[in-house]
Amino acid sequence: EQRRRPDPGRTNVVGGLQRERKPSTMGSDQVAERLSSLTVGDSPGTPGVSTLLHQRREPVLPEQALRLTRPTDGFLCPLSANKYKIDFKEFEIKDYDSGESLFHVKRDPEAALPTVPDDIDPAMEAAVRTVRYTFPTSFLGRKTIRTALVFSVGPEPVPNFRMIERHYFKDELVRSYDFNFGFCIPMSVNSWEAIYDMPELTKEREEEILASPFEMRSDSFYYVGDTLVMHNKAEYQYKD
C-alpha cells in the first residue's frame, strides 16, 4: 500500500471567475497557433484551452492540464488511450481524522474491463466516464479526507503513473491536486492511498455550494509519464 499527499507545489487555491465561453470554429493552423501561446486566463470570447485541445486531438501534456481554469469541454483522450489496461476495482473515501467511511464502491472482482468503441455516442460516453456523488452537508466542513483506490494493470509495465485532479465550482478553480504513484509492475493489483487537504470555505461560499447541486465538478487526468491515458469527470452535491 502506498500513501501519497499531493505535491505542495501543485496544491493551490485560485480565485477569479472564469466565465463559460462558446467554442468557435477554427482551422487546424489557427488551433496550433493558439495552443502554442495558451496561458491560464484566456480572453473573453475566445475558445477555452480544453476546447482547442479537444478540436486538435493533440496529446495533452501534464503542464497543459495544470493550466486549465474550468472544467473541460468533453474528454481530452479517447477510451482507447488506456493501452495499459488500468482498471479501477475499488474506491473508498474516509474522513482522515475519524476514519469514518463516507463513500465505498467495489466492483465484482471477476468482472473484465469493458470494451467501448471510440465512436461511442457523446451522451453515452459522458455517462460512462462521469460519476455523480452525493455527500452529507457535513462533508464540506471536513479538514482532511483520505481516498483509497485499488486498481489493476495489464501485461505492460506502467512507469511514472500520475494523477492530476482539478476541482471547480461554477467554472472557478477551487483546488488542484497532483499525485504521483510511481511504477506499477505488469499484471499487478495495486493500492493507492491519497490524502486531500480540503479547501477552507467561507459561510457564504458553503451556502452557495449547498444551493447549487452538481455545480461542484472535477476533472481527473491519469498520466503514464507525459502520456494522458485516462480522463474521467465527477460532479458533487451535498445534502442530508
Side-chain angles (χ1 to χ4, degrees), residues 76-219:
L76 300 188
C77 68
L79 290 163
S80 59
N82 183 15
K83 68 175 186 177
Y84 297 95
K85 301 188 184 302
I86 299 165
D87 187 13
F88 297 150
K89 303 289 190 182
E90 185 176 359
F91 182 62
E92 185 172 21
I93 302 173
K94 289 185 175 183
D95 180 81
Y96 180 78
D97 296 312
S98 67
E100 176 188 358
S101 181
L102 306 171
F103 177 85
H104 186 206
V105 61
K106 185 176 182 179
R107 281 181 49 201
D108 180 351
E110 302 301 320
L113 185 66
T115 301
V116 183
D118 280 345
D119 60 353
I120 184 175
D121 177 78
M124 178 62 71
E125 180 181 31
V128 169
R129 303 176 74 172
T130 304
V131 178
R132 279 194 159 191
Y133 294 100
T134 297
F135 293 122
T137 57
S138 60
F139 189 94
L140 293 174
R142 310 266 176 182
K143 301 293 186 184
T144 309
I145 63 169
R146 180 176 63 191
T147 64
L149 174 66
V150 177
F151 66 96
S152 62
V153 301
E156 293 187 43
V158 180
N160 302 319
F161 190 32
R162 174 183 181 184
M163 180 184 75
I164 294 171
E165 197 164 85
R166 310 279 278 180
H167 288 252
Y168 309 89
F169 178 62
K170 291 186 174 180
D171 290 350
E172 178 183 352
L173 181 63
V174 175
R175 201 75 165 178
S176 181
Y177 302 94
D178 192 349
F179 298 97
N180 285 280
F181 183 82
F183 179 82
C184 304
I185 64 175
M187 304 303 293
S188 62
V189 176
N190 305 272
S191 177
W192 186 350
E193 186 174 278
I195 299 170
Y196 292 74
D197 296 319
M198 300 294 285
E200 294 184 10
L201 301 172
T202 64
K203 184 65 175 176
E204 293 75 16
R205 174 51 63 92
E206 185 174 320
E207 290 175 353
E208 188 180 4
I209 291 173
L210 293 175
S212 307
F214 302 116
E215 289 290 340
M216 182 73 80
R217 293 178 285 170
S218 65
D219 282 297

